Amino acid sequence: MKRLSKAMLAVLILITTSCVQQKEKELEGDRQRVYGPRIIPIDYDSLYQLKEPPDYQPLAMYGNFLFGVANQQIPMVYDTKYQLHNDIQKYTDIIYKESQNMSLALDIYTGKSDKSPNPLILIIHGGYWKAGDKGAFYTQRAMEFVELGYTVASINYRLSPEYKFPVNIEDLRDGIIFLTEHAKEFNIDPSQIMTYGISAGGHLAAFIALSANSDREYVKGLNPSAFKGAISMYGIHDMSLTIQREHPFNELYIGTSYELDSTNYIDASTTQHVDVDDPPILLIHGTLDGSVSVKNSDNLAKVLASKKVPYVYDRIEGWPHVMDFFSPIGERSLWQIHKFLEDHMPSEEMKNKK
């Protein structure tokens, strides 16, 4: 049943990203009925002025979510085909590393009229470490951050099963070092970095920020003080969990089963890289998540608390994976992200609005 629910989730993601542009229509007299998810705009100014995050209603079961999306009772607020605004400059496919006949690239987004050095938000894509891409899927999120006064980079890294842990950590390290060395060219303040990711990207975002001050070889060369925080959306943080170590994609990422060798399962767990000097972490996770168990964020939150590392944990009752693509969790998540940035790495634009 676990594998079936994960397969259903994969189908949902494909459906929701394709249905936005390809909606099935049926004529009913003079009316036209549209099936599948619809996209609604976000009023960002009003959202960020709220004193508390938008409220929501828990769903009783995963089927309620599917039904709500199909019948447009749960609209989308994230457009995977988003068109970049004219006032934003995008530098595409900048090569930051050549490795084993492979070129690794990143995209950079900045305001066209803004030539000042801005704090950097690094977007790290998801895909259970074996899929995904830095590209257009993240355009809307990049735009949201740039319009708050940040420079944004979205990065590719080597994928499993061909490449195992910690190769992708080394790639992220090298990408961050590249961005630091080219800070003036791309309007980056290299002393202020925040990482952001969803799912496997959430794992990598928290992992790189928390491990940067460790003695591990795969983070050698990073400046730990530059990391002002990390934002992890339903990330994979505890590989020792039975539900995680038995997941086939985890074994592809690590390269062996937990029973044969647990060493890298432990080292790849974000929970193992927390100490008192770490930057703050924002965790957002739904209790109906059938792809990445909410226990991942539960366990990381417990470790952060025990080590007295500042964190915010918005544990969303009754919502599944990719919940932030949909209203009202999308608005709620953005409110939490905005507040977290305001508290821990505010841009000049955010400071001036206070």
Side-chain angles (χ1 to χ4, degrees):
M1 288 297 293
K2 290 179 181 177
R3 291 191 179 184
L4 178 60
S5 65
K6 290 170 185 173
M8 290 175 61
L9 179 64
V11 171
L12 170 65
I13 296 172
L14 290 173
I15 289 173
T16 53
T17 53
S18 62
C19 279
V20 175
Q21 299 299 325
Q22 299 177 9
K23 296 177 179 176
E24 184 179 344
K25 298 180 179 180
E26 177 183 311
L27 293 176
E28 293 184 343
D30 295 330
R31 292 172 45 266
Q32 194 177 62
R33 186 175 177 185
V34 180
Y35 295 93
R38 75 184 193 276
I39 295 176
I40 62 172
I42 297 174
D43 184 343
Y44 295 101
D45 289 337
S46 297
L47 175 64
Y48 297 148
Q49 289 172 11
L50 295 176
K51 299 298 182 183
E52 300 290 337
D55 202 4
Y56 68 95
Q57 292 298 317
L59 302 167
M61 61 184 69
Y62 184 62
N64 293 69
F65 174 71
L66 293 174
F67 182 84
V69 171
N71 287 275
Q72 301 196 345
Q73 296 167 350
I74 301 177
M76 293 185 75
V77 290
Y78 192 83
D79 185 353
T80 59
K81 303 293 184 181
Y82 193 86
Q83 297 298 307
L84 197 66
H85 291 184
N86 290 331
D87 58 349
I88 296 178
Q89 175 71 53
K90 180 181 180 182
Y91 301 91
T92 306
D93 294 330
I94 300 167
I95 304 301
Y96 73 87
K97 180 177 182 179
E98 300 277 359
S99 179
Q100 299 175 336
N101 299 319
M102 175 185 293
S103 297
L104 294 172
L106 49 79
D107 298 337
I108 296 176
Y109 303 79
T110 65
K112 285 183 177 178
S113 61
D114 185 2
K115 303 304 179 185
S116 59
N118 298 314
L120 173 70
I121 297 180
L122 180 67
I123 294 176
I124 306 171
H125 71 77
Y128 244 113
W129 311 293
K130 68 183 295 293
D133 181 79
K134 64 177 173 54
F137 186 87
Y138 293 96
T139 300
Q140 180 174 336
R141 189 96 319 146
M143 180 280 298
E144 291 163 345
F145 290 146
V146 170
E147 294 198 341
L148 287 174
Y150 297 91
T151 296
V152 177
S154 182
I155 189 169
N156 274 351
Y157 49 86
R158 284 173 288 179
L159 303 173
S160 70
E162 184 176 359
Y163 300 100
K164 311 291 191 292
F165 172 84
V167 165
N168 54 8
I169 306 298
E170 295 169 353
D171 293 341
L172 295 177
R173 173 201 64 196
D174 294 339
I176 292 167
I177 292 173
F178 174 89
L179 290 165
T180 299
E181 292 174 345
H182 293 80
K184 288 185 179 180
E185 184 179 349
F186 297 113
N187 303 339
I188 294 170
D189 176 356
S191 69
Q192 297 190 78
I193 300 171
M194 181 84 71
T195 52
Y196 164 93
I198 65 172
S199 196
H203 160 257
L204 296 172
F207 189 97
I208 197 75
L210 292 171
S211 66
N213 61 0
S214 74
D215 60 359
R216 301 296 201 277
E217 188 68 23
Y218 48 67
V219 291
K220 188 175 181 180
L222 291 177
N223 175 13
S225 66
F227 290 89
K228 303 307 178 186
I231 300 165
S232 174
M233 308 289 297
Y234 35 90
I236 306 159
H237 298 301
D238 189 351
M239 302 279 199
S240 69
L241 286 167
T242 302
I243 193 170
Q244 288 307 136
R245 68 192 195 207
E246 291 182 351
H247 195 294
F249 292 168
N250 284 55
E251 189 167 328
L252 292 176
Y253 177 47
I254 301 300
T256 185
S257 68
Y258 185 87
E259 288 71 25
L260 284 177
D261 187 355
S262 64
T263 304
N264 277 346
Y265 282 83
I266 302 303
D267 195 31
S269 296
T270 317
T271 51
Q272 299 297 310
H273 296 273
V274 181
D275 64 60
V276 293
D277 297 320
D278 283 333
I281 306 294
L282 171 61
L283 303 173
I284 302 178
H285 212 133
T287 61
L288 283 185
D289 196 325
S291 181
V292 178
S293 170
V294 71
K295 292 179 181 179
N296 281 276
S297 291
D298 289 348
N299 288 2
L300 180 55
K302 289 176 185 175
V303 177
L304 292 167
S306 71
K307 300 291 186 179
K308 295 183 170 51
V309 175
Y311 75 97
V312 176
Y313 183 16
D314 197 1
R315 194 176 194 268
I316 307 293
E317 295 294 331
W319 279 76
H321 210 60
V322 301
M323 59 189 176
D324 54 314
F325 290 12
F326 300 89
S327 185
I329 306 303
E331 295 96 328
R332 182 182 178 92
S333 298
L334 275 176
W335 187 94
Q336 294 284 18
I337 290 168
H338 181 272
K339 182 68 166 62
F340 189 75
L341 290 169
E342 191 174 54
D343 289 344
H344 300 291
M345 196 181 75
S347 65
E348 287 302 314
E349 183 171 325
M350 294 173 78
K351 291 176 184 176
N352 292 336
K353 282 188 176 181
K354 277 193 170 183

